[in-house]
Amino acid sequence: MTKLKSECPICAETISVAQNIEASEIIQCPGCHNRIVVSSVNGDKVVLKEAPKIEEDWGQ
Amino acid sequence: MITVSVVGGSGYAGGELLRLLLQHPKVKIKEVTSRRYVGESVTLHHPNLRGQTDLYYKNIDKLSSCDVLFISLPNGVSMNYMDKFTKLAKYVIDLGADFRLNSESSWSKWYKTEHQKPDFLNKFVYGVPELHRNEIIKAKLVAGPGCEAIVTILSLFPVVKHKLINLDKIIIDAKMGSSQSGSKGTDSSHHPERSGVVRTYMPSGHRHTAEIEQELSFAGFNPKVSITATAIEMVRGLLVTIHTFLNKYIEEKDIWQAYRTEFAKEPFIRIVKMKSGFYRFPEPKILQGTNYCDIGFEIDKYTNRLVIIGAIDNLTKGTAGNAVQCMNLMCGYDEKLSLEFTGLHPI
């Protein structure tokens, strides 16, 4: 299957995603291993954003 | 198969070395020496090795020839034996400080004694594979770095090389485990005094300053580092929090790029900077017994500060594991041999 290329919004690693990927899918960056969300897919253009994270109270 | 002996095998670094060498598929341990425990069983002092070896400690004067000789002696001792050691073995790897520095004056400045073998200083390769792999492959003599030094050097090397930080303002806050002070007890290591401490024992003047500056002085760079060392409640492990200041406004992607460029193919370096999970940045707890050096970072945009966090097990990547990695390179083996333990979780 053809892959589309995009860039990790956190570490700038090149990320290949399946051509049939859909907006709002969550993937993991192979460079920084963080969770990335597919923001939009428009033809060959895939826009990735940092996935929303669960804020934690670290006891402060 | 090669024969290997360990000089000074009763201490914690020696014990860690024996643990790694006993599981090495290409190594046969020939002899282990100890000044204090001649004739006693190795497993008496390293009980984790029970069932793995029947070696007894020998006197250093009875040492015979071997292929690789590891030296794990207190600072200032191995230099007195180095003529003998180099006659006994084709390869010598010294875990102590005696041959880490390139210059006699630097030794005198930081160790406050005269060096007894200055003619050997330039014969040793500083044993950080990530910086000197090609030299180590060809080397007969390797000096293992200090544990605090290696984690700091690895953490800083990419951002120095890529000219991202101000080299005059590098502040290293190091948190140390108790095994770093060795297996010999002192008044300050007595359990009621040591347990539970957060004890800053060296606010300035740490001797590893010399080797850190030496290794980061390349291509015309001349960095100045300031170290503060604090003992904490931890047996194995070392965490450095390094405060640096960026030369200009950059994004974290640029920092990622620098680390990726220098370390992407390194088997024992991991960049740890997670947005979720419990272990978001390097943490020595989960590195116990492993040869990994975990490095993380974050930009403080308010002050343009780059905080770099490095963690290792001081006895493995900080000493014995790194030495075995060097031996693997010197002997033409896969450098990961006997070093692929992933650590434990939970621990």
Side-chain angles (χ1 to χ4, degrees):
Chain A
M1 182 180 286
T2 312
K3 297 272 188 180
L4 304 177
K5 287 194 188 307
S6 189
E7 185 182 272
C8 173
I10 297 171
C11 75
E13 177 77 280
T14 301
I15 299 179
S16 299
V17 296
Q19 200 171 29
N20 61 353
I21 199 163
E22 294 181 358
S24 80
E25 279 191 45
I26 299 281
I27 58 174
Q28 188 181 40
C29 171
C32 65
H33 308 289
N34 280 297
R35 281 154 49 92
I36 309 296
V37 63
V38 178
S39 177
S40 63
V41 183
N42 189 357
D44 288 350
K45 194 175 179 198
V46 180
V47 177
L48 304 176
K49 285 189 176 172
E50 187 179 330
K53 61 189 176 200
I54 302 163
E55 296 295 341
E56 292 183 48
D57 179 358
W58 292 89
Q60 302 304 307
Chain B
M1 192 71 93
I2 54 170
T3 56
V4 167
S5 293
V6 178
V7 176
S10 64
Y12 293 141
E16 183 72 351
L17 200 46
L18 292 169
R19 178 179 77 84
L20 297 169
L21 292 172
L22 282 167
Q23 64 191 9
H24 197 295
K26 303 283 188 184
V27 162
K28 176 177 170 42
I29 302 177
K30 191 174 177 188
E31 292 164 322
V32 185
T33 80
S34 167
R35 293 179 298 178
R36 287 187 284 168
Y37 304 119
V38 174
E40 292 187 12
S41 165
V42 163
T43 57
L44 192 62
H45 305 96
H46 304 302
N48 56 322
L49 305 182
R50 284 176 187 148
Q52 299 294 311
T53 180
D54 54 4
L55 284 162
Y56 285 77
Y57 294 115
K58 289 184 103 172
N59 190 302
I60 194 170
D61 297 330
K62 308 277 186 192
L63 201 61
S64 59
S65 62
C66 61
D67 296 311
V68 182
L69 192 56
F70 288 93
I71 317 297
S72 182
L73 293 171
N75 293 340
V77 177
S78 77
M79 62 175 81
N80 299 311
Y81 291 93
M82 199 45 71
D83 277 328
K84 173 181 175 167
F85 292 154
T86 52
K87 289 187 181 99
L88 285 174
K90 183 178 178 187
Y91 302 106
V92 175
I93 302 173
D94 190 344
L95 278 59
D98 291 22
F99 298 97
R100 290 175 190 160
L101 301 177
N102 294 334
S103 89
E104 194 178 351
S105 60
S106 187
W107 171 269
S108 303
K109 178 182 173 184
W110 290 96
Y111 288 86
K112 312 294 183 197
T113 58
E114 279 187 32
H115 203 288
Q116 302 302 310
K117 273 284 163 212
D119 51 318
F120 269 84
L121 287 174
N122 284 316
K123 294 179 181 171
F124 274 79
V125 173
Y126 191 77
V128 178
E130 293 79 4
L131 270 65
H132 300 298
R133 182 168 283 105
N134 291 336
E135 295 160 79
I136 293 168
I137 286 169
K138 296 176 199 155
K140 304 291 182 208
L141 306 173
V142 162
C147 53
E148 201 281 326
I150 190 171
V151 64
T152 298
I153 291 165
L154 293 173
S155 298
L156 283 169
F157 177 73
V159 293
V160 170
K161 186 176 176 186
H162 289 249
K163 303 178 183 173
L164 300 178
I165 59 167
N166 179 340
L167 297 183
D168 292 327
K169 283 185 189 170
I170 300 174
I171 298 162
I172 301 149
D173 178 8
K175 286 100 175 171
M176 317 288 211
S178 59
S179 61
Q180 203 173 332
S181 60
S183 59
K184 246 183 173 175
T186 63
D187 287 348
S188 67
S189 70
H190 186 47
H191 182 266
E193 306 296 344
R194 180 64 174 80
S195 178
V197 298
V198 184
R199 178 187 295 155
T200 299
Y201 65 93
M202 194 165 279
S204 66
H206 198 292
R207 292 188 292 201
H208 288 178
T209 303
E211 53 190 285
I212 294 167
E213 290 186 348
Q214 171 182 287
E215 293 304 308
L216 295 178
S217 294
F218 56 91
F221 300 130
N222 187 23
K224 286 253 178 300
V225 304
S226 307
I227 305 175
T228 296
T230 299
I232 64 165
E233 181 67 48
M234 179 166 65
V235 174
R236 277 172 178 257
L238 206 169
L239 182 88
V240 288
T241 307
I242 308 175
H243 304 277
T244 67
F245 292 87
L246 294 164
N247 284 330
K248 57 182 179 181
Y249 177 78
I250 55 173
E251 293 186 34
E252 289 193 338
K253 287 180 190 175
D254 301 313
I255 312 285
W256 269 108
Q257 192 58 43
Y259 281 101
R260 191 178 289 139
T261 302
E262 301 307 324
F263 291 152
K265 292 180 181 168
E266 289 300 337
F268 295 114
I269 294 190
R270 303 184 296 197
I271 307 305
V272 177
K273 179 175 167 54
M274 299 301 296
K275 299 280 183 181
S276 58
F278 303 128
Y279 295 84
R280 299 180 182 193
F281 289 100
E283 156 72 80
K285 176 179 151 96
I286 54 165
L287 297 179
Q288 292 184 37
T290 81
N291 201 47
Y292 289 112
C293 174
D294 283 357
I295 302 170
F297 61 86
E298 186 159 293
I299 293 176
D300 173 4
K301 288 183 179 170
Y302 181 63
T303 55
N304 212 26
R305 178 176 57 122
L306 171 64
V307 185
I308 306 167
I309 301 147
I312 55 170
D313 180 328
N314 56 300
L315 294 175
T316 318
K317 185 58 176 170
T319 314
N322 187 72
V324 171
Q325 191 180 349
C326 288
M327 179 200 74
N328 286 337
L329 289 166
M330 294 161 86
C331 296
Y333 300 142
D334 177 345
E335 73 181 273
K336 302 189 293 299
L337 271 186
S338 100
L339 298 172
E340 294 188 275
F341 175 55
T342 55
L344 298 171
H345 178 263
I347 185 168

